[in-house]
Amino acid sequence: PYFIGLNQNLYLQACLHSSDPNLKVFVDTCVASPDPRDFNTLAYDIVRNGCPRDSSYATFYSPSSHFARFKFNAFEFISRHPSVYLKCELMVCRLGDYSSHCYRGCTSRSKRDTSS
């Protein structure tokens, strides 16, 4: 466990362990839950499909494409839940592939037209 005060910044870094220098890592989705086995019932989206859902979320520059650095403010669900668990999904893309999700960043699917 990592202890941090309420509303303090929590800094995270994800690292891709690969010898291939032509890869880039990207934070796609990060969800918080008071239950480490259930990230659906009572969950809070910090990032979803590369789009920040929490206003305190921010990314930071990294000198290596193998690292993703980000932060958000610590919070609690309700006082009866003493812990918050994180589940993050990362994407790995080819470095320089500007059509990839890693470079496009926040993408929300467009809704289809239902008219005849």
Side-chain angles (χ1 to χ4, degrees):
Y2 184 78
F3 298 97
I4 187 167
L6 195 59
N7 292 323
Q8 287 188 325
N9 285 331
L10 178 61
Y11 296 91
L12 296 118
Q13 173 175 280
C15 176
L16 173 64
H17 295 281
S18 171
S19 59
D20 187 342
N22 295 312
L23 297 176
K24 177 180 176 62
V25 67
F26 174 74
V27 179
D28 180 65
T29 298
C30 211
V31 181
S33 170
D35 184 345
R37 295 167 303 283
D38 181 2
F39 285 86
N40 295 312
T41 305
L42 181 57
Y44 178 75
D45 285 349
I46 298 165
V47 180
R48 175 70 64 181
N49 297 322
C51 302
R53 300 291 191 206
D54 183 286
S55 61
S56 68
Y57 175 84
T59 58
F60 294 99
Y61 168 78
S62 172
S64 169
S65 62
H66 283 197
F67 290 91
R69 296 175 174 170
F70 59 101
K71 70 102 179 162
F72 60 91
N73 287 346
F75 63 93
E76 65 182 359
F77 281 91
I78 303 173
S79 58
R80 70 178 189 265
H81 299 290
S83 298
V84 174
Y85 297 88
L86 296 176
K87 177 181 164 184
C88 297
E89 296 176 11
L90 306 171
M91 295 193 80
V92 177
C93 304
R94 283 266 156 223
L95 197 62
D97 179 3
Y98 297 103
S99 66
S100 72
H101 187 45
C102 292
Y103 285 94
R104 289 191 324 260
C106 178
T107 57
S108 56
R109 290 186 351 175
S110 58
K111 296 180 181 171
R112 287 184 256 175
D113 187 6
T114 57
S115 65
S116 59

